[in-house]
Amino acid sequence: MTSPTQTAGSRGAEHRFFSGMAIGILAVALIGFARTYFLRPLLPVPTPVLPSLTPLIHIHGALFTLWVFLFVAQTLLIGRKRIGLHRTLGFASLGLALAMVVVGTITAIHSVARGIAPFGMDPRRFLAIPLAAIYLFAGFYIAGFVKRRNAQSHKRLMLLATIALLPPAIARWVLLLGLGPPFILAFATLLLVPLVVWDWKTRGRLHPVTLWGGGLLLVSAPLRLLLAKSDFWLGIADRLAGLVK
């Protein structure tokens, strides 16, 4: 049986781990989008010229940036035992998450209509990659909200939801290296490694959410690439693009 002091110490370490993960994710998002979004007005015009930033993209950027800052705030509030405010913001996040899924979906489909996709890919095929990220986020978020009274499951599900959103931020720098989508998804899933190490260190085994949720993220990477290459998906993408024309 652990002593109260040991329990308090382990809880402090846990708060530091999840807060550290949240701050690390914030850094990945800010650095990832610095060149193409956050610092874009301050930098020289790149070659080739980047696609224009439409009002829809600005709304999309504001919503997804707000989520990352909220995620950081929520982890810090738990560490400071501000449980009431944490729960209030948690319920408020329902509206934000819904807006992210709706606006994220519309923005991704609009990219097809505008003919925008990296790596010289057919925009219709590339659409499978951002849409998968959005709906993985939605699934993890919903599961995390349902499990909000189970702290260990809840915090892991919200962490996985946020990790699911990071491939676009990572892509901005991977593009500069001339690497393709498989490398982007591989780098994104590396963010699971600290959670796996934490579970083994503190529990001696993987938490079920880490095992099944992390496994889903890993498996989804090759699956979305295979889906993007299929004629089946091409038909779906054509119909989706037709909705915004």
Side-chain angles (χ1 to χ4, degrees):
M1 186 179 218
T2 58
S3 68
T5 301
Q6 289 173 320
T7 301
S10 63
R11 287 177 180 172
E14 184 171 273
H15 292 320
R16 288 191 294 274
F17 170 75
F18 282 98
S19 296
M21 286 293 294
I23 292 170
I25 285 171
L26 174 61
V28 170
L30 293 179
I31 293 171
F33 286 104
R35 184 179 63 88
T36 59
Y37 189 76
F38 294 115
L39 300 180
R40 179 169 170 172
L42 306 176
L43 299 176
V45 177
T47 304
V49 177
L50 296 171
S52 61
L53 298 176
T54 65
L56 179 62
I57 291 174
H58 285 301
I59 294 171
H60 175 275
L63 290 172
F64 282 68
T65 303
L66 179 58
W67 168 265
V68 179
F69 276 103
L70 176 61
F71 180 62
V72 173
Q74 288 289 68
T75 61
L76 296 177
L77 286 171
I78 287 295
R80 295 176 183 178
K81 298 182 172 59
R82 299 291 302 276
I83 308 301
L85 181 55
H86 175 88
R87 288 174 178 168
T88 299
L89 290 176
F91 279 102
S93 74
L94 280 167
L96 174 60
L98 176 60
M100 289 168 64
V101 172
V102 172
V103 173
T105 300
I106 294 172
T107 304
I109 296 172
H110 264 284
S111 294
V112 178
R114 296 174 69 199
I116 297 172
F119 318 109
M121 287 183 66
D122 183 330
R124 298 170 300 167
R125 296 194 183 280
F126 181 75
L127 179 62
I129 296 173
L131 285 186
I134 292 167
Y135 288 97
L136 280 168
F137 162 80
F140 285 129
Y141 175 86
I142 292 169
F145 188 83
V146 170
K147 289 287 189 178
R148 62 189 180 277
R149 297 189 185 279
N150 183 330
Q152 294 300 320
S153 294
H154 171 75
K155 62 183 62 179
R156 285 170 173 79
L157 285 163
M158 290 305 183
L159 176 60
L160 291 174
T162 309
I163 289 174
L165 296 175
L166 291 179
I170 294 170
R172 267 58 184 179
W173 292 99
V174 173
L175 275 170
L176 297 179
L177 300 175
L179 303 176
F183 291 93
I184 293 170
L185 297 174
F187 286 139
T189 54
L190 285 177
L191 292 166
L192 296 171
V193 172
L195 180 58
V196 170
V197 172
W198 173 258
D199 277 0
W200 279 112
K201 179 181 176 181
T202 59
R203 301 169 58 86
R205 65 187 185 282
L206 295 183
H207 187 280
V209 169
T210 305
L211 177 62
W212 297 108
L216 177 59
L217 276 179
L218 286 171
V219 170
S220 75
L223 288 180
R224 69 183 89 173
L225 294 174
L226 288 173
L227 178 63
K229 293 178 180 179
S230 70
D231 292 338
F232 168 76
W233 172 254
L234 204 58
I236 293 175
D238 281 333
R239 288 191 289 272
L240 291 173
L243 295 177
V244 299
K245 288 183 178 179

